[in-house]
Coordinates of all heavy atoms in Angstrom, one line a residue:
D250 N -45.4 86.4 -44.3 CA -45.2 86.8 -45.7 C -43.8 87.3 -45.9 O -43.6 88.0 -46.9 CB -46.3 87.9 -46.0 CG -46.2 89.2 -45.2 OD1 -45.5 89.1 -44.1 OD2 -46.8 90.2 -45.5
G251 N -42.9 87.0 -45.0 CA -41.5 87.4 -45.2 C -40.6 86.9 -44.1 O -41.1 86.6 -43.0
D252 N -39.3 86.9 -44.3 CA -38.4 86.4 -43.3 C -37.6 87.5 -42.7 O -36.9 87.3 -41.7 CB -37.4 85.4 -44.0 CG -38.1 84.2 -44.4 OD1 -38.9 83.6 -43.6 OD2 -38.0 83.8 -45.6
V253 N -37.6 88.8 -43.2 CA -36.8 89.9 -42.7 C -37.7 91.1 -42.5 O -38.6 91.4 -43.3 CB -35.7 90.3 -43.7 CG1 -35.1 91.6 -43.4 CG2 -34.6 89.2 -43.7
V254 N -37.6 91.8 -41.4 CA -38.3 93.0 -41.1 C -37.3 94.1 -40.8 O -36.4 93.9 -40.1 CB -39.3 92.8 -39.9 CG1 -39.9 94.1 -39.5 CG2 -40.3 91.7 -40.2
I255 N -37.6 95.3 -41.4 CA -36.8 96.5 -41.2 C -37.7 97.7 -40.9 O -38.9 97.5 -41.0 CB -35.9 96.8 -42.4 CG1 -36.8 96.9 -43.7 CG2 -34.9 95.7 -42.6 CD1 -36.1 97.2 -45.0
G256 N -37.1 98.8 -40.6 CA -38.0 100.0 -40.3 C -37.1 101.2 -40.3 O -35.9 101.2 -40.6
P257 N -37.7 102.4 -39.8 CA -36.9 103.6 -39.8 C -35.7 103.5 -39.0 O -35.6 103.0 -37.9 CB -37.9 104.6 -39.2 CG -39.3 104.0 -39.5 CD -39.1 102.5 -39.4
L258 N -34.6 104.1 -39.5 CA -33.3 104.0 -38.9 C -32.4 105.2 -39.2 O -32.9 106.1 -39.9 CB -32.6 102.7 -39.2 CG -32.5 102.3 -40.7 CD1 -31.4 103.1 -41.4 CD2 -32.3 100.8 -40.9
N259 N -31.2 105.2 -38.7 CA -30.3 106.4 -38.9 C -30.9 107.7 -38.5 O -30.7 108.7 -39.1 CB -29.8 106.4 -40.4 CG -28.9 105.3 -40.7 OD1 -28.3 104.7 -39.8 ND2 -28.8 105.0 -42.0
I260 N -31.7 107.6 -37.4 CA -32.2 108.9 -36.8 C -31.2 109.3 -35.8 O -31.0 108.7 -34.7 CB -33.6 108.6 -36.2 CG1 -34.6 108.0 -37.2 CG2 -34.2 109.9 -35.6 CD1 -35.9 107.5 -36.6
E261 N -30.5 110.4 -36.0 CA -29.5 110.9 -35.2 C -30.0 111.7 -34.0 O -30.9 112.6 -34.2 CB -28.5 111.7 -35.9 CG -27.7 110.9 -37.0 CD -26.7 109.9 -36.3 OE1 -26.3 110.1 -35.1 OE2 -26.4 108.9 -37.0
S262 N -29.5 111.5 -32.8 CA -29.9 112.3 -31.7 C -29.3 113.7 -31.7 O -29.9 114.7 -31.1 CB -29.6 111.7 -30.3 OG -28.1 111.5 -30.2
E263 N -28.2 113.8 -32.5 CA -27.5 115.1 -32.6 C -27.2 115.7 -31.3 O -26.7 115.0 -30.4 CB -28.3 116.1 -33.5 CG -28.6 115.6 -34.9 CD -27.4 115.5 -35.8 OE1 -26.3 115.9 -35.4 OE2 -27.5 115.0 -36.9
D264 N -27.6 117.0 -31.0 CA -27.3 117.6 -29.7 C -28.4 117.4 -28.7 O -28.3 117.9 -27.6 CB -27.1 119.1 -30.0 CG -25.9 119.4 -30.8 OD1 -24.9 118.6 -30.8 OD2 -25.9 120.4 -31.6
A265 N -29.5 116.7 -29.1 CA -30.6 116.5 -28.1 C -30.2 115.4 -27.1 O -29.4 114.5 -27.4 CB -31.8 116.1 -28.9
A266 N -30.8 115.5 -25.9 CA -30.7 114.4 -25.0 C -31.4 113.2 -25.5 O -32.6 113.3 -25.9 CB -31.3 114.8 -23.6
P267 N -30.7 112.1 -25.7 CA -31.2 110.9 -26.4 C -32.6 110.4 -25.9 O -33.5 110.2 -26.7 CB -30.1 109.8 -26.2 CG -28.9 110.6 -26.0 CD -29.3 111.8 -25.2
L268 N -32.8 110.3 -24.6 CA -34.0 109.7 -24.1 C -35.2 110.6 -24.3 O -36.2 110.1 -24.8 CB -33.8 109.3 -22.6 CG -34.8 108.3 -22.0 CD1 -34.8 107.0 -22.8 CD2 -34.5 108.0 -20.6
P269 N -35.1 111.9 -24.0 CA -36.3 112.7 -24.3 C -36.6 112.8 -25.8 O -37.7 112.9 -26.2 CB -35.9 114.1 -23.7 CG -34.9 113.8 -22.6 CD -34.1 112.6 -23.1
F270 N -35.5 112.8 -26.6 CA -35.7 112.8 -28.0 C -36.5 111.5 -28.5 O -37.4 111.6 -29.3 CB -34.3 112.9 -28.7 CG -34.4 112.9 -30.2 CD1 -35.0 113.9 -30.9 CD2 -33.8 111.9 -30.9 CE1 -35.1 114.0 -32.3 CE2 -33.8 111.9 -32.3 CZ -34.4 113.0 -33.0
L271 N -36.1 110.4 -27.9 CA -36.8 109.1 -28.2 C -38.3 109.2 -27.8 O -39.2 108.9 -28.6 CB -36.1 108.0 -27.5 CG -36.8 106.6 -27.7 CD1 -36.8 106.1 -29.1 CD2 -36.1 105.6 -26.8
F272 N -38.5 109.8 -26.6 CA -39.9 109.9 -26.1 C -40.7 110.8 -27.0 O -41.9 110.5 -27.3 CB -39.9 110.4 -24.7 CG -39.4 109.5 -23.7 CD1 -38.9 110.0 -22.4 CD2 -39.3 108.1 -23.9 CE1 -38.5 109.1 -21.5 CE2 -38.8 107.2 -23.0 CZ -38.4 107.7 -21.8
D273 N -40.1 111.9 -27.5 CA -40.8 112.8 -28.4 C -41.2 112.1 -29.7 O -42.3 112.3 -30.2 CB -39.9 114.0 -28.7 CG -40.6 115.0 -29.6 OD1 -41.6 115.6 -29.3 OD2 -40.1 115.2 -30.8
L274 N -40.3 111.2 -30.2 CA -40.7 110.5 -31.5 C -41.7 109.5 -31.2 O -42.6 109.2 -32.1 CB -39.4 109.8 -32.0 CG -38.3 110.8 -32.6 CD1 -37.1 109.9 -33.1 CD2 -38.9 111.6 -33.7
E275 N -41.8 108.9 -30.0 CA -42.8 108.0 -29.7 C -44.2 108.6 -29.7 O -45.2 108.0 -30.0 CB -42.6 107.3 -28.4 CG -41.4 106.3 -28.4 CD -41.2 105.6 -27.1 OE1 -41.4 106.2 -26.1 OE2 -40.7 104.4 -27.1
N276 N -44.2 109.9 -29.3 CA -45.4 110.7 -29.3 C -45.8 111.2 -30.7 O -46.9 111.6 -31.0 CB -45.3 111.8 -28.3 CG -45.3 111.4 -26.9 OD1 -45.9 110.4 -26.5 ND2 -44.6 112.1 -26.1
N277 N -44.8 111.2 -31.6 CA -45.0 111.7 -33.0 C -44.4 110.7 -33.9 O -43.3 111.0 -34.6 CB -44.4 113.1 -33.2 CG -44.9 114.1 -32.2 OD1 -46.0 114.7 -32.5 ND2 -44.2 114.3 -31.1
P278 N -44.9 109.5 -34.0 CA -44.2 108.4 -34.8 C -44.0 108.7 -36.3 O -43.1 108.2 -36.9 CB -45.2 107.2 -34.6 CG -46.5 107.8 -34.2 CD -46.2 109.0 -33.4
R279 N -44.9 109.5 -36.8 CA -44.7 109.9 -38.3 C -43.4 110.6 -38.5 O -42.8 110.5 -39.5 CB -45.9 110.7 -38.7 CG -45.8 111.2 -40.2 CD -45.9 110.1 -41.2 NE -45.5 110.5 -42.5 CZ -45.5 109.7 -43.6 NH1 -45.8 108.4 -43.4 NH2 -45.2 110.1 -44.7
R280 N -43.0 111.4 -37.5 CA -41.8 112.1 -37.6 C -40.5 111.2 -37.7 O -39.5 111.5 -38.2 CB -41.6 113.1 -36.4 CG -40.5 114.0 -36.5 CD -40.6 115.2 -35.5 NE -39.4 116.0 -35.4 CZ -38.6 116.0 -34.4 NH1 -38.9 115.3 -33.3 NH2 -37.5 116.8 -34.4
A281 N -40.7 110.0 -37.1 CA -39.6 109.0 -37.1 C -39.2 108.7 -38.6 O -38.1 108.6 -38.9 CB -39.9 107.8 -36.3
L282 N -40.2 108.4 -39.4 CA -40.0 108.1 -40.8 C -39.4 109.3 -41.5 O -38.5 109.2 -42.4 CB -41.3 107.6 -41.4 CG -41.1 107.2 -42.9 CD1 -40.1 106.0 -43.0 CD2 -42.5 106.7 -43.5
D283 N -39.9 110.5 -41.2 CA -39.4 111.7 -41.8 C -38.0 111.9 -41.6 O -37.2 112.4 -42.4 CB -40.3 112.9 -41.4 CG -41.7 112.8 -41.9 OD1 -42.0 112.1 -42.9 OD2 -42.6 113.5 -41.3
L284 N -37.5 111.6 -40.3 CA -36.1 111.9 -39.9 C -35.2 110.7 -40.3 O -34.0 110.8 -40.3 CB -36.0 112.1 -38.4 CG -36.7 113.3 -37.9 CD1 -36.6 113.4 -36.3 CD2 -36.0 114.6 -38.4
S285 N -35.8 109.6 -40.7 CA -35.0 108.4 -41.0 C -34.2 108.6 -42.3 O -34.6 109.3 -43.2 CB -36.0 107.2 -41.2 OG -35.3 106.1 -41.6
D286 N -33.0 108.2 -42.2 CA -32.0 108.3 -43.4 C -31.8 107.0 -43.9 O -30.8 106.3 -43.6 CB -30.7 109.0 -42.9 CG -29.8 109.3 -44.1 OD1 -30.3 109.3 -45.2 OD2 -28.6 109.5 -43.8

């Protein structure tokens, strides 16, 4: 039903260690959309 797919982005790691930060968002996926800019 479409040719392009997009999703939450511009989520900055800021001062957090990137990989643990990513794992935390995977456990709380709703937060990814909330942090998305």
Side-chain angles (χ1 to χ4, degrees):
D250 58 348
D252 294 309
V253 166
V254 174
I255 56 179
L258 49 82
N259 288 341
I260 303 171
E261 293 291 336
S262 63
E263 300 291 355
D264 296 327
L268 199 56
F270 180 60
L271 176 65
F272 291 160
D273 180 63
L274 291 179
E275 289 182 327
N276 292 327
N277 302 277
R279 178 65 190 179
R280 188 164 171 249
L282 182 59
D283 294 337
L284 293 177
S285 180
D286 185 16

